Amino acid sequence: KRNPLWTFDRLTVAIALVGCLIRIGNLMNSEIFGYPTDLPWGFKFVRSDEWNHLYYGLACHPTQIYEALCYLALFGLMMWMYWKRNCGERPGLLFGTFLVGTFGSRFLIEFIKNDQVAFEASMQYNMGQLLSIPFVLLGIFLIIWALTHKRLKLSYPNEFAPDPQANKKK
C-alpha cells in the first residue's frame, strides 16, 4: 500500500553502488574507455582489440574509473541523505537525486568516451547523452516535487506482523 516512489527511493541507493561495481568490471574487461590523453593516469588497454586497432601505444582516459567514482560518491551522498537527513520522509527525493547524479555524470563523461557505435561519429551528442537528458529532467522534477510537498511521518512499529497460525492454536 505504499507509493512506488517509496520503493524506488530505497532501491536506488544500492543501485548506485552496483553501478560502481559494474564500471569496475568494464575496466577489468578493457571496454568502454575514452579518447587518448597525456594525463598521468591514462591507461593502455592492451587486452582490447579496439584499443590495439585505434590507439596502440597511446594512453586513454579510464572513463570506467571516472564513472565508478561518480557512482560511489552518489552512493555515499544518498546513504547520508537517507540516514542523516531523513530523506525517506520525502518520497522521490532520493530517486530524483539518483537520476540526476547517475545520468548527469554519464552525460558529462560521454564527452571523452569513444563512440559505442559507428553512427555516433556524425552526431553532436552521442546516444548515451541523448538518452540521459530525459532522466536528468525527470530527476530535477522529482527533487523539486519532493522538496515542495509536506514530509511524510513514517512509523515503523517495533513488532512483527501477527502470526495467522497463532489464532488457530487458541
Side-chain angles (χ1 to χ4, degrees), residues 108-170:
L108 295 174
I109 292 169
E110 289 284 336
F111 281 113
I112 57 172
K113 258 189 206 177
N114 283 325
D115 293 331
Q116 300 293 308
V117 289
F119 72 84
E120 290 179 335
S122 63
M123 300 170 65
Q124 169 131 19
Y125 297 109
N126 68 29
M127 192 56 67
Q129 290 171 310
L130 294 176
L131 293 173
S132 295
I133 292 170
F135 291 107
V136 170
L137 294 175
L138 176 61
I140 292 169
F141 169 78
L142 284 170
I143 290 170
I144 292 169
W145 184 83
L147 293 175
T148 56
H149 285 74
K150 291 174 64 175
R151 285 181 179 263
L152 295 179
K153 288 296 176 191
L154 300 175
S155 63
Y156 298 100
N158 193 13
E159 60 186 48
F160 292 105
D163 183 10
Q165 298 297 326
N167 292 335
K168 292 181 182 178
K169 293 177 186 175
K170 290 180 183 180

Side-chain angles (χ1 to χ4, degrees), residues 30-36 45 48 50-51 54-55 60-61 63 109-117 120-121 126:
S30 298
E31 57 192 15
I32 314 176
F33 50 86
Y35 294 122
F45 296 93
S48 168
E50 180 183 8
W51 179 83
L54 295 173
Y55 306 120
C60 293
H61 283 284
T63 55
I109 292 169
E110 289 284 336
F111 281 113
I112 57 172
K113 258 189 206 177
N114 283 325
D115 293 331
Q116 300 293 308
V117 289
E120 290 179 335
N126 68 29

Side-chain angles (χ1 to χ4, degrees), residues 4-141:
L5 288 176
W6 184 90
T7 304
F8 294 156
D9 283 341
R10 281 141 185 87
L11 285 176
T12 53
V13 175
I15 292 171
L17 181 60
V18 170
C20 172
L21 297 174
I22 289 170
R23 289 302 177 222
I24 291 171
N26 293 140
L27 177 66
M28 297 298 124
N29 288 331
S30 298
E31 57 192 15
I32 314 176
F33 50 86
Y35 294 122
T37 182
D38 56 359
L39 295 170
W41 57 80
F43 275 47
K44 293 182 179 179
F45 296 93
V46 295
R47 294 181 355 171
S48 168
D49 290 338
E50 180 183 8
W51 179 83
N52 282 312
H53 178 70
L54 295 173
Y55 306 120
Y56 182 77
L58 299 175
C60 293
H61 283 284
T63 55
Q64 315 92 326
I65 294 176
Y66 303 162
E67 281 191 77
L69 291 173
C70 288
Y71 299 159
L72 186 61
L74 180 62
F75 170 72
L77 171 67
M78 292 174 62
M79 286 291 288
W80 176 79
M81 289 172 66
Y82 184 78
W83 290 108
K84 299 293 184 185
R85 305 301 299 167
N86 294 328
C87 287
E89 297 175 355
R90 295 193 178 273
L93 183 58
L94 286 168
F95 184 42
T97 302
F98 171 80
L99 291 175
V100 171
T102 301
F103 292 99
S105 62
R106 179 180 178 184
F107 183 87
L108 295 174
I109 292 169
E110 289 284 336
F111 281 113
I112 57 172
K113 258 189 206 177
N114 283 325
D115 293 331
Q116 300 293 308
V117 289
F119 72 84
E120 290 179 335
S122 63
M123 300 170 65
Q124 169 131 19
Y125 297 109
N126 68 29
M127 192 56 67
Q129 290 171 310
L130 294 176
L131 293 173
S132 295
I133 292 170
F135 291 107
V136 170
L137 294 175
L138 176 61
I140 292 169
F141 169 78

